[in-house]
Amino acid sequence: MAPFPVYPVDTGSVSSYFSSFPVRSCEFNALPTIQKALDETIYSCTTPGSRERKKAVYRHSNPAGNIFGLSLALCEADRVGYVVKLIEFLCIVDDAMEDLPFGEACIEHSILRQALHESYDDDRYGGQAVDLMKNFLRELRKELVSLGDLSTSLLLKTLDTSLRDRDSDDSEFTTLAEYIPYRKTNFDYDFVCQLLCWAMNIPLAVQNDPLARAYEHIIGVIVGLSNDYFSWEMERQQTTDRVRNAVPVLMKEHSVSEVQAKLMLKEVIVEEERKARKLRSDIMSQSVKDEDLARYVSGMELFAAGYSFWCATCPRYHRPQKEENPVELNPGFSIAVEV
């Protein structure tokens, strides 16, 4: 099935958005699909009044655009709902795990992974934090398998690996070079790439192309570090035994202030975008153009653009939610922003 129609987003009035990538959105047409998938995921994975539900609702209160409408511009329309469910599920997992001590979070991830294996379908143990999420993932796995797409098994295998590795390192990073591979893993980036390939119906041969891999890496650095840049003010206030952000890494590496570290981080992101534009230009100007590779590269650029724009505008990072004054879902209330 073809992607939803897209339209350009005017980013000129958003001073915080410094990316050179153009933003496109499919929200006008995809909103009902996105909304339904979000409602199903949030209601299934969280309990009324819980911290995780409050954070999930607040995550989708951005008047500048829905994160999925902004970042899934080239995904096939009949797969957008599944992408929304899987990514929102991982966001809720993040919210549930971030306050757990490192060792307990590792155990909870292991319990959650059981939902991806048929041999555990009769095992109903949900740990201390992931019972609802495990049930949701089990049923979603069954639904995806029922589609009969041969690439689904690779998608689920990549998700299993991501859940295993995403919070498995409690090291204190002293350089940005050391931190970046961890940041991509913690972002579930290999899974995100596989998910976008699956949703865009990109052939396996393209996924294995060295040019595609090189472009993926650059985009991974951009989205991971862009998240760090915009989320730092929120994250610095969190009580956790593992702060994971490039800002304190750069502060330590270069013995600079927080303000200087953020400026340095911005410069790194801008330089990575320059590399991405150059590689994209080389790919698009090949004498024998691979249309699937070109489509994948375009989709990845739009993913990075939309995600960065969302990070630059979302209340989650710029007006951190106050626990004593939460946003809560009411029955029949749509969590998606009207456009």
Side-chain angles (χ1 to χ4, degrees):
M1 181 180 288
F4 287 108
V6 299
Y7 59 92
V9 175
D10 180 10
T11 61
S13 61
V14 180
S15 60
S16 56
Y17 183 69
F18 58 82
S19 173
S20 61
F21 292 161
V23 179
R24 303 285 185 272
S25 178
C26 63
E27 187 170 353
F28 282 143
N29 295 280
L31 184 58
T33 298
I34 293 170
Q35 176 180 309
K36 182 175 184 292
L38 284 174
D39 286 345
E40 290 178 4
T41 307
I42 293 172
Y43 278 116
S44 296
C45 293
T46 66
T47 56
S50 66
R51 175 178 173 274
E52 290 77 24
R53 181 169 294 188
K54 295 168 188 174
K55 294 188 76 170
V57 175
Y58 198 59
R59 181 163 45 247
H60 299 289
S61 63
N62 188 355
N66 179 279
I67 184 172
F68 296 111
L70 289 166
S71 57
L72 303 180
L74 294 189
C75 292
E76 296 188 356
D78 60 342
R79 300 207 166 183
V80 165
Y82 291 114
V83 176
V84 172
K85 287 182 178 182
L86 285 162
I87 297 297
E88 183 64 21
F89 161 79
L90 289 171
C91 290
I92 294 171
V93 171
D94 270 348
D95 291 338
M97 299 292 184
E98 65 185 8
D99 287 339
L100 293 178
F102 174 72
E104 291 181 19
C106 291
I107 293 171
E108 294 296 300
H109 275 104
S110 295
I111 295 168
L112 189 56
R113 288 175 56 210
Q114 294 173 354
L116 293 170
H117 301 275
E118 186 178 358
S119 58
Y120 284 97
D121 279 355
D122 294 330
D123 186 332
R124 299 296 166 173
Y125 178 63
Q128 70 177 67
V130 298
D131 185 38
L132 293 177
M133 289 176 274
K134 183 178 177 181
N135 292 335
F136 174 81
L137 183 57
R138 180 190 300 115
E139 295 307 311
L140 183 55
R141 183 207 82 213
K142 293 178 180 178
E143 186 176 351
L144 288 168
V145 170
S146 72
L147 298 177
D149 188 326
L150 295 177
S151 63
T152 299
S153 60
L154 179 58
L155 179 69
L156 295 174
K157 181 179 179 181
T158 309
L159 176 57
D160 189 25
T161 301
S162 195
L163 288 172
R164 182 194 69 194
D165 296 342
R166 69 200 309 264
D167 200 9
S168 61
D169 190 342
D170 64 346
S171 302
E172 290 295 325
F173 302 98
T174 57
T175 69
L176 191 63
E178 292 174 348
Y179 172 73
I180 283 175
Y182 166 84
R183 187 66 186 93
K184 289 171 61 183
T185 299
N186 187 248
F187 193 87
D188 299 297
Y189 187 64
D190 285 349
F191 173 68
V192 168
C193 290
Q194 191 62 48
L195 182 60
L196 291 174
C197 284
W198 179 83
M200 293 171 62
N201 198 22
I202 300 297
L204 185 60
V206 170
Q207 299 175 43
N208 293 328
D209 188 301
L211 290 174
R213 291 297 189 189
Y215 193 79
E216 281 179 355
H217 171 71
I218 299 171
I219 294 297
V221 175
I222 291 168
V223 295
L225 296 186
S226 293
N227 177 277
D228 285 0
Y229 179 87
F230 289 109
S231 67
W232 172 240
E233 276 67 29
M234 178 192 75
E235 292 179 10
R236 67 200 295 269
Q237 302 175 32
Q238 294 177 336
T239 55
T240 177
D241 64 352
R242 53 197 186 282
V243 175
R244 294 291 183 255
N245 192 290
V247 173
V249 174
L250 286 169
M251 291 171 65
K252 182 182 298 185
E253 180 178 3
H254 298 283
S255 300
V256 295
S257 69
E258 182 179 318
V259 172
Q260 290 172 309
K262 280 203 72 175
L263 289 173
M264 293 176 69
L265 181 56
K266 183 177 180 179
E267 291 173 359
V268 172
I269 296 167
V270 169
E271 172 60 18
E272 292 299 316
E273 285 198 6
R274 185 196 64 77
K275 294 178 185 177
R277 291 195 306 273
K278 174 64 168 59
L279 181 54
R280 184 179 188 275
S281 176
D282 291 344
I283 291 171
M284 296 302 183
S285 61
Q286 287 179 322
S287 56
V288 180
K289 187 175 178 180
D290 186 325
E291 295 297 334
D292 286 321
L293 175 60
R295 183 164 55 89
Y296 181 51
V297 166
S298 296
M300 290 298 292
E301 180 184 86
L302 290 173
F303 163 72
Y307 181 73
S308 298
F309 183 71
W310 180 83
C311 287
T313 55
C314 68
R316 174 179 172 87
Y317 295 154
H318 302 281
R319 294 193 302 276
Q321 184 178 13
K322 295 181 179 180
E323 294 293 332
E324 67 273 14
N325 186 28
V327 178
E328 180 57 282
L329 283 172
N330 296 313
F333 175 72
S334 166
I335 63 175
V337 178
E338 296 291 338
V339 294

